[in-house]
Amino acid sequence: MTLKASDHIDAALFPREDSIDQGRMVRLFPHANASGRRPEPARKSYWLAVACAEHVRHGRARGFMQVCHGKPGPLRRVKPGDGIVYYSPSLTMGDKDGFQSFTAIGYVRDGEPYPVQMDCAKAYRRDVDWLDAPEQPLRPLLGWLEFTQDKNWGYRLRSGLVAFGESDFEFLQEIMTSELEVVKQRRLQA
């Protein structure tokens, strides 16, 4: 089958079966803009979730995360392999006790958000592999974290789940799994 330059329609590029001579080999060439490279793997994202320490401890003990009072929408943005850090402004919900600590750090497991029935309503959760890390107060880290450089950094956290920088996540992971002063000295020397 021979195609003319004037036959510039999709039907000419992909002829019907009944019009192809079955004894001939037909080769279809990739589109001129098609790339021979493989698609890049999905990039890992990092998230800062906000909840009181009591709720984070409950989820950490059972291997899950829940944000924004159990709404599914925010959890759909989180993908398997993403890093999660929980910040707890208080020990219990609604208190103004000034707890202000990072209470959990881990990586999201494969799977989608799933519903669970709670006392008052249905909530959505995602499974997480939590690292064995102690809670870390925020105050000693204020000058070390990029997201706290803006004087109104706390305002961003009101949404309950915000994108978080990779460097801040790696720093917190290092801090929460090592000694704070050792990490600071190592970072200053680098």
Side-chain angles (χ1 to χ4, degrees):
M1 171 195 275
T2 305
L3 299 175
K4 298 180 222 157
S6 62
D7 293 334
H8 185 29
I9 59 174
D10 288 340
L13 294 175
F14 301 98
R16 294 183 5 207
E17 276 187 44
D18 59 354
S19 67
I20 297 176
D21 181 11
Q22 296 300 324
R24 290 187 166 172
M25 180 184 286
V26 177
R27 295 180 191 211
L28 299 176
F29 296 100
H31 187 273
N33 291 334
S35 171
R37 294 184 305 161
R38 291 183 178 169
E40 291 185 27
R43 293 192 56 168
K44 188 183 288 192
S45 296
Y46 300 92
W47 302 94
L48 181 63
V50 181
C52 70
E54 180 181 55
H55 291 174
V56 176
R57 290 170 184 161
H58 178 78
R60 187 174 168 181
R62 289 161 183 78
F64 70 83
M65 69 177 288
Q66 179 177 314
V67 294
C68 305
H69 304 286
K71 294 179 184 169
L75 287 179
R76 289 190 187 112
R77 297 185 332 205
V78 178
K79 303 294 178 215
D82 284 358
I84 298 290
V85 175
Y86 261 100
Y87 169 71
S88 298
S90 62
L91 284 168
T92 57
M93 192 164 95
D95 280 354
K96 305 253 188 257
D97 56 23
F99 182 66
Q100 298 181 325
S101 295
F102 296 101
T103 46
I105 188 167
Y107 295 91
V108 178
R109 289 188 208 152
D110 285 338
E112 294 295 320
Y114 56 89
V116 294
Q117 188 62 44
M118 295 180 61
D119 293 339
C120 55
K122 186 188 319 184
Y124 285 82
R125 297 176 176 168
R126 283 199 85 126
D127 290 332
V128 177
D129 288 320
W130 296 113
L131 300 179
D132 184 21
E135 296 174 356
Q136 173 64 47
L138 168 74
R139 292 235 181 262
L141 306 177
L142 281 175
W144 293 82
L145 296 167
E146 286 180 33
F147 90 96
T148 62
Q149 298 307 308
D150 178 18
K151 67 179 181 176
N152 295 323
W153 61 268
Y155 188 76
R156 284 185 53 213
L157 304 182
R158 294 182 67 175
S159 67
L161 182 70
V162 296
F164 196 56
E166 180 178 5
S167 62
D168 279 352
F169 181 86
E170 288 174 349
F171 180 68
L172 281 172
Q173 182 176 351
E174 191 175 7
I175 293 268
M176 292 174 79
T177 57
S178 301
E179 291 295 321
L180 175 60
E181 293 307 316
V182 172
V183 173
K184 283 183 176 180
Q185 287 301 317
R186 199 168 37 230
R187 294 269 174 153
L188 285 172
Q189 292 171 359

